[in-house]
Amino acid sequence: MLTALLHAARQKHATDAVDFPDLPEGVGGLPRLTTEPCLGEACGRCVNVCPTGAIQLSGDPENPDVSLDRGLCVTCGACIAGCPTQTIVADPSTKSAVIHREELVLYSKPTETKPIAALDGVKALGPFRRSVDVRVVSTGCNATDLEVAATANAIFDCSRFGIHFVASPRFADVLLVTGPVGRAMQKPLVSCFEAMADPRVVIAVGTCAISGGVHRGGYADANGVMPHLEVHAFVPGCPPHPWSIVHGILIATRSKATNANHSPQHGRG
Amino acid sequence: MIRVDAVPIEPADWESSVPERARRKGWKYGHLTIRRAEGGKRLLEALLLNLDNGSAEIASTPIIDGGSKFSSVTSAIPAAHWAEQAVGDLWGLHASGHPRWKSLILHEAWPPDKFPFAVSADGPPSPRESKFLTVGGQGVHEIPVGPIHAGIIEPGHFRFSCIGEIVANLDIRLGYVHRGVEARLAAVPLRHARHVAESASSDSAVANALAHAQALEDLWGLEGPKRAAAVRTVALEIERVANHFGDLGALASDIGFALGAATFGRLRGAALGFGQTLSGTRFQRGFVCPGGLAWEVGDAQLRLLTQSLSELKPAAADACEILFENPGVQERLEGVGILKPSLADEFGMVGPTARASGSPYDARCHFAHALFPGLAVDVATETAGDAFARAEVRRKEVFSSLRLIEEVLAALPQGGSLVKTPETLPPSKTAIGIVEAWRGELIHWITTDEQGKISRYAIRDPSFQNWTGVAIAVRGNLVMDFPLINKSFNLSYSGSDL
Ligand code: SF4
Ligand code: SF4
């Protein structure tokens, strides 16, 4: 035991000093669109390589609008690596969670979109005050599960933010769902939600949970959480960075924009 | 390149011939499944692997038209018992003579007439049977657990039959995360397939991307650049190190040893950081691709990697000392969840699970992938077959992988990392990719039709073999030790369910 304590004393502080740090240079995150002019149909590389059809070109073929749906993006990096004009680049931000599904769609030209939900510091807003208990239901993405579990480790230490993972829906405030919710997990997921007391929020973590990702539209009916439950926050990425997951839990439960105050319904479609 | 020979077998001889071939010296069973051949005919195929020369053979026999059965080989090759059940679920065929016939992947949530790979011309399918094995006798009670588990892990159902607190039998029902990965792989444009392949079990993205790339490269008969092979080796070993750290931390956490859990948690973070330095993301997604690597690795990244490696090694040694030298940890792990070598062998265990039960098999020593088998690996084995042995194998593998990474980085070939690959595949060919993933032997098995389209894409995840090991190891143990035993295997649900 003494050796263990000595080793423990030798280990320095492991927790990230800054909350939601940007990813280091050269690291591939989610794609982001810039205002650099796109070459359009003559190029079309991004549309061609994207495995989930997340990117679309529209408008004037000479000077098209590019749109990119992060809710479909499996962060494969292929569009970023192939774009000759830097219209698509890697986004270093780890604050990538959003409150509304539409906010996941990015446009190369400014459009009227809802402002991204700001995280108002760590102020305690909404019904949950400073502490939330999170029940995780995995429906089949072990990478995202690992990153959710990582939020509790010494590096991210989510308990600093009042986030705790619990083993039963009975005492959970947040239902955090990972994976694409294929046929056999649809009923168990909904019954887990029904076992939770109000107020409760649902967070879709990872692109599979948002849209089914690469499994979307297949015979297993694995199209994400939305066909089964109303979702209060979306965390894109395949898998999302642990900081982004913490961000998602915080905006769903603490941001002014959250609608966690009213009881969610099923089957929003 | 893995040579694949075709061995046609008469339906009447299947039951005797396949086990005979699998038992030849130097051979092992790989997988068993069905594919659709010319004219829509169904072919039953068994993949057998030759460890002596790193080649493979595929024994095949036709399913008679309109037939709904084939002869089971499970009594002679117990390792095939889940593969035959999966054929039942996906193709609507019955393995006659299977000693424990029931559905494996598709159960109550699925319409009883849904067989994803069956077509109406096949004739009426054999109905699915969803049931659990019941244990009779006085005082036997059942404990159902799942599909949703208490921790942050994938879903699956465990049905325990117990006598008091002792587990008499465990029936494992998976399939809750069946997403239709194999069908999707055959349907998407070839350029997108690698991303679907990675998602087969996304915590093993490198291994899956590599098995996919090796199989396609074999189909084309091309070899990627030397530099790509070397970097792929580094990527694969980083994935192994990160996950072994994660597993050791999870074991510490399950026995309530918080210091060990925290220490290995941060080491896992450091190893994922290596992946990020090398490939751009923590799970190295989209990096390994057919023809080589999707993007180049710069010298600055490699220098950073070499430097962080030298810092990690002493930290890893310290962490292992904290965990393995602790008498409390030894006490909790030793003698728990024993999987006897003979059973591990019969049921076809692979990876650290098999090596903790005395098997010397490591696919890196036999089958061509990345720089293997040319690069020598110290195979880590233990004989006790308990939770401690499975932890010990992981500890040894962490250090041998770190050595491999250093060795490869020190002599990294120069030059490009990608060769151009054709846009189409050659017609009527079969190739397999075999990779020693961190959980063990992973197989991607691809067959093309006369038009050069993928007609069957089969994946055999290591977990598909090893789940049976959990069911065996838990027998006679306390119910409350199940989480620990399960963790000592740490298998993939999505890789099994596909
Ligand atoms: S990074 Fe996302 S948007 Fe870009 S090609 Fe990959 S999946 Fe599509
Ligand atoms: S790759 Fe870049 S330049 Fe080409 S179409 Fe896409 S956004 Fe435009």
Side-chain angles (χ1 to χ4, degrees), chain A residues 37-40 43-47 57 66 79 82-88:
Chain A
C38 151
L39 302 178
C43 165
R45 275 188 226 176
C46 54
V47 177
L57 303 179
V66 188
C79 58
C83 179
T85 56
Q86 309 238 302
T87 309
I88 306 181

Side-chain angles (χ1 to χ4, degrees), chain A residues 15-57:
Chain A
T15 311
D16 273 352
V18 184
D19 297 342
F20 309 107
D22 276 354
L23 297 171
E25 178 110 34
V27 166
L30 286 156
R32 178 172 70 86
L33 296 177
T34 66
T35 50
E36 292 297 325
C38 151
L39 302 178
E41 304 287 348
C43 165
R45 275 188 226 176
C46 54
V47 177
N48 188 45
V49 293
C50 182
T52 54
I55 308 175
Q56 247 137 40
L57 303 179

